[in-house]
Amino acid sequence: MFTRRLSRRVCWGVLALLLLVGHRIVWAHSTDPFAAQGSAPRYMHIMEGFLPPIWALFWFIVALPFWVIGLRQITKLIADQPEMRLLLGVAGAFTFALSALKIPSVTGSSSHPTGTGLGTILFGPFVMAVLSSIVLLFQALLLAHGGLTTLGANTVSMGIAGPLVGWAIWKGLHHRAPFWLTVFLTAALANLMTYVVTAIQLALAFPDPIGGFVASFVKFGTVFAVTQIPLSISEGILTVIIMNALMSTASHELRTLGVQGA
Amino acid sequence: MSQIDRYAYTSRIRHLDPAQKTGLAALVIILCLILPRPAVGVGAVLWMGMLTVWWGGIPLPVVGRVLLAEFLFLLLAVVGVVLSFSWEPPPVGFWSLQLGPLWISTNQGSLALAGLLVSRAFGATAAMNFLALTTPFIDLVDLLRRLRVSPVLIDLMDVMYRFVFVLLDSMGRIATAQQSRLGYATRRAAWRSSGLLASRLFVDAYQRSQRMQTALASRGYYGDLRVLPLDYRHDGRVYLLTAAVVVSLLLAGSRA
């Protein structure tokens, strides 16, 4: 009995040591914040040609009203304030550049933020739908990541579902919860929602031969959950740090954009 | 990321009409999607790979590296389609493996679907790579302009494309400055530095847009970015090539 308990304790000790050392090694290799520049962002868009044509078309149709509303909002914004034209272009470029930023992950490795939560706070959800789809187009053509026929599906997950959830949390919790908590939840859940919707899209297109849609969703969801829950927490923390820095040094810019609480 | 862009500008068919290149790539992608035969995808990869290397003049190692990365990613993505997980033993006709209470199983149907998926996505991706590696983004935006896409969207893309590189450059310089001051030496510092980097980048982006607005306004900017129309070479032989590709893919897709 005693030896068994001891061996178990040794096992845990070795495991803890491995985790600790492994984490150090991973961290030592990931301290170059700009090494990521050459590589594609690691988050998972649906690849070109992966969806059956019917589903590819379906998600384009779902995305269409959001594009129309977003484009109409942008046109109105530009008519009212002509300087917004350049600002929106630069905002899109900023969203793209954010996805090349390397952030420390809570699990020890590193990753890239999606930037949808921050973008939603700064520019609103419908504008983000348009900006995100251009960002996705850029990623397909400049990084060979994502795809053209899956642009509709990827827009729905990254440019529509994520920002809408983020926007709901941001609007709902503002003035009711501490500022940092609101920002954290907005960014973390916007990131997580992107992957929940991606899992739904994959499960709908490829239902499990035994368990159908639900089993397939659990399957794809589990794969994403293992990698994405830590990443969404990381993105939440990072966005809190960014917003705090912006509130203290860029309140003028935030006010021009009409960000609440700035 | 600027690598693909750089190759696109130096490609041998850079000055070919983007409508012709896009047409070829789009036809291949559509054929890959609608013809449910693995041979179509394989044929598309061979065609598009060869055309990118020999016609586009992109070095083989570059094309190979991009394709290999995508292929590995694809294999990873398809695992979820191949395997089924259940708590009860799967029905007859499934090959399965029991791990504790969990059954991992697969059958001929899932394997066939996975094979089709890999070849289809790989073929379509090769076609997209062909377009990305031989056609600079500005040519594609020019094509969209000719297709009467909303000018607001076109301007947005133009400004974004210009600023992506400016901001990435800015980001690189800030990161170097932070690193040389031990900004990423510890976890805590790394968090702080990434946050600061992103917030400074935002302010930088904002101020750049203001400066550009002032500079353009003082030169008579009314809200339209006018650029000179680009001059393209229209080559009739490309139609023959496109026809050859399409016919061979259709043959591969027909049930012989």
Side-chain angles (χ1 to χ4, degrees), chain A residues 83-99:
Chain A
E83 71 273 14
M84 284 307 265
R85 186 184 291 259
L86 293 178
L87 187 59
L88 284 173
V90 177
F94 174 70
T95 313
F96 182 92
L98 258 194
S99 67

Side-chain angles (χ1 to χ4, degrees), chain B residues 69-120:
Chain B
E70 279 161 346
F71 187 65
L72 293 179
F73 188 73
L74 197 56
L75 284 187
L76 213 65
V78 93
V79 169
V81 177
V82 174
L83 300 178
S84 303
F85 300 90
S86 55
W87 299 113
E88 289 111 40
V92 190
F94 279 82
W95 303 301
S96 55
L97 183 78
Q98 193 179 11
L99 267 187
L102 196 68
W103 289 82
I104 303 173
S105 50
T106 183
N107 68 353
Q108 213 154 6
S110 330
L111 283 177
L113 177 65
L116 174 67
L117 261 182
V118 169
S119 73
R120 185 172 77 189

